[in-house]
Amino acid sequence: MKEIAVLGSTGSIGTQTLDIVRQHTGKVKVKALASSKFSQKLKEQIEEFRPKYVYVHHYETIPKELIKKYDLIFLTGEEGLLHITDLFVDLYVVGIAGIAGILPTYYILEHKKNLATANKEAIICLGEILKKQYKKIIPIDSEHSAIFQSLKGEKTKNIKKIVLTASGGPFLNLPIESFKDVSVEEALQHPKWKMGEKVTIDSATLMNKGLEIIEAHYLFDTPYSHIDVLIHPQSLVHGMVEYIDGTIISNISVPDMKIPITYAISYPDRWETDVPSVDFKNLHKIEFFEPDYQKFPLLKLAKEVGIKGEAYPIVLTVADELAVNRFLSQKITFDKIPVLIQKVIERANFGKPKKLEDIIQIMEETQEIFKQVEKEVF
Ligand code: MN
């Protein structure tokens, strides 16, 4: 029986993780749940999965009778975070969205725990200080799960190229002139993947693929010159690794996050899912092409930022999250997302982070730069 802790349990990855637990009772059990706040959903999860530990960010919001009824060890705040990331479990599954995942990820790795994570922001922001510990991370991000599986049993020195595929998002064929008129609802309609809001907007700007380049660089310790992106609208091939002998090993499936999440939990074994097989005989086409870097400038910017290294990937991650939030709350139009991020990058001037405190400071100062830029642009 595998015991897991699910952090970000009420989000998209968290709820799908619990669906998998429900499907594989007898093989996996939930020992801890963590969420940013108490909600009806978390209450239902506690009642169904009976974790021993529950962490939420705001203590005042959890009913005392629930703690009593289920004999929970309830944790909160900084001290609670240290505790919830230091449990005797077989695996931590982190599905926290965005930069809120950085601190929990840091502590899980510092506590030398096994980690399966979908939080690319943390992998990117902690990369400079923790990448040596990344070897044992099991990625949940579908492209990185694909690469991880394609690298199994191979030597890193034999990699010629890593290819990340991108569906192209909802605006692949929309003319750039129309980007200013895109509504929040339209941007949240991803053609292939069902995901949380932040990553869905990032997929519409292709920033998601940009962040994934940096994520791949840190996770697989591969130089940027060896990481390519291809647009693949059918989203069946999730990633490919080309080796020095010319062999390409790739990962193919129907696009469904259940597969990479199940793999992260079952690894090194494989468990059944209810995802249908790829219907090769009835595929009318399967395409790959070069991304349009002019239409999606954030993809190019992310790669440049990754190559610059130091604190730039952190600045990019924070600026992007702030810009996406502004768009979601309808304070800026869709076309302004890259404009804001680009300007923040231009102004940022930090050295290489050496410890967690440096990263926190860079993040705080980036927020200040963002506010300044926002005032000047609008
Ligand atoms: Mn992805």
Side-chain angles (χ1 to χ4, degrees):
M1 176 76 76
K2 272 193 182 176
E3 288 193 311
I4 64 169
V6 184
L7 276 52
S9 69
T10 56
S12 172
I13 298 288
T15 50
Q16 291 183 80
T17 300
L18 295 175
D19 287 342
I20 291 158
V21 172
R22 195 181 289 123
Q23 231 186 317
H24 294 279
T25 330
K27 283 191 261 184
V28 57
K29 188 175 173 308
V30 176
K31 193 166 184 180
L33 291 174
S35 181
S36 63
K37 59 183 192 301
F38 184 71
S39 58
Q40 180 59 29
K41 206 170 191 177
L42 182 63
K43 181 172 180 268
E44 288 166 12
Q45 291 179 346
I46 292 169
E47 287 168 338
E48 182 180 356
F49 294 97
R50 302 292 189 90
K52 189 164 177 203
Y53 298 87
V54 174
Y55 172 90
V56 298
H57 205 64
H58 305 289
Y59 183 74
E60 62 280 8
T61 53
I62 187 147
K64 300 274 186 298
E65 58 276 15
L66 202 67
I67 299 174
K68 227 175 161 178
K69 188 174 172 194
Y70 296 105
D71 196 22
L72 298 173
I73 297 175
F74 178 70
L75 303 164
T76 186
E78 179 80 6
E79 217 173 292
L81 183 62
L82 285 170
H83 193 167
I84 199 79
T85 54
D86 201 11
L87 303 174
F88 286 102
V89 289
D90 297 293
L91 183 70
Y92 277 89
V93 179
V94 173
I96 302 166
I99 54 182
I102 293 173
L103 219 46
T105 305
Y106 176 83
Y107 290 127
I108 291 166
L109 290 170
E110 281 295 273
H111 293 145
K112 310 275 182 237
K113 302 295 173 183
N114 295 324
L115 170 64
T117 182
N119 188 276
K120 63 192 71 163
E121 290 84 353
I123 292 172
I124 294 167
C125 293
L126 297 170
E128 286 300 320
I129 64 168
L130 287 186
K131 71 175 166 208
K132 285 201 184 78
Q133 299 182 44
Y134 282 6
K135 280 202 172 67
K136 58 173 198 167
I137 292 179
I138 309 165
I140 293 177
D141 200 346
S142 60
E143 297 77 3
H144 302 74
S145 174
I147 302 299
F148 180 82
Q149 296 183 54
S150 303
L151 284 170
K152 222 159 119 184
E154 300 286 345
K155 294 193 171 80
T156 317
K157 70 172 178 61
N158 294 335
I159 299 172
K160 189 170 168 189
K161 205 165 47 177
I162 282 179
V163 179
L164 302 171
T165 54
S167 70
F171 309 132
L172 181 62
N173 298 313
L174 188 75
I176 190 166
E177 299 76 43
S178 306
F179 276 25
K180 63 182 192 320
D181 304 316
V182 157
S183 71
V184 171
E185 291 71 32
E186 285 165 336
L188 285 175
Q189 293 299 319
H190 196 274
K192 293 287 172 189
W193 295 95
K194 201 176 122 286
M195 306 175 290
E197 286 194 345
K198 200 260 172 180
V199 57
T200 304
I201 301 300
D202 280 342
S203 298
T205 62
L206 286 201
M207 174 56 116
N208 182 51
K209 211 50 56 181
L211 294 175
E212 288 180 357
I213 294 174
I214 307 174
E215 182 185 11
H217 164 78
Y218 285 124
L219 271 180
F220 308 118
D221 197 18
T222 305
Y224 286 99
S225 56
H226 291 191
I227 306 171
D228 279 357
V229 169
L230 281 178
I231 302 292
H232 166 46
Q234 292 76 24
S235 294
L236 296 168
V237 176
H238 307 300
M240 311 187 227
V241 181
E242 184 175 346
Y243 291 93
I244 50 173
D245 63 354
T247 297
I248 297 168
I249 299 185
S250 121
N251 176 283
I252 302 170
S253 75
V254 166
D256 191 321
M257 283 309 295
K258 256 183 247 161
I259 296 179
I261 302 170
T262 303
Y263 184 72
I265 302 171
S266 67
Y267 177 83
D269 201 355
R270 289 188 186 272
W271 295 347
E272 270 173 44
T273 70
D274 55 13
V275 180
S277 302
V278 175
D279 186 4
F280 284 103
K281 279 176 286 190
N282 293 308
L283 289 181
H284 4 264
K285 57 179 175 181
I286 183 156
E287 308 159 288
F288 298 92
F289 44 89
E290 185 80 356
D292 183 340
Y293 289 98
Q294 292 212 297
K295 206 162 121 178
F296 299 103
L298 288 176
L299 182 56
K300 193 163 165 242
L301 179 70
K303 192 158 182 174
E304 288 166 2
V305 157
I307 292 166
K308 273 199 211 174
E310 298 190 329
Y312 285 103
I314 303 170
V315 175
L316 181 79
T317 305
V318 174
D320 174 56
E321 184 152 326
L322 294 171
V324 168
N325 285 340
R326 295 297 189 275
F327 171 68
L328 284 171
S329 55
Q330 300 185 15
K331 297 217 165 62
I332 62 169
T333 49
F334 185 76
D335 59 317
K336 289 295 186 296
I337 297 174
V339 177
L340 278 173
I341 297 171
Q342 173 79 48
K343 282 195 191 297
V344 174
I345 295 288
E346 281 165 16
R347 297 226 187 141
N349 186 17
F350 305 101
K352 189 180 159 92
K354 292 188 180 68
K355 52 186 190 305
L356 180 66
E357 289 70 26
D358 298 342
I359 292 169
I360 292 169
Q361 197 187 343
I362 292 161
M363 290 173 66
E364 284 170 359
E365 289 183 29
T366 300
Q367 292 191 21
E368 290 310 313
I369 299 173
F370 186 92
K371 281 182 207 158
Q372 201 58 44
V373 166
E374 201 179 19
K375 245 188 254 166
E376 289 169 22
V377 175
F378 304 106

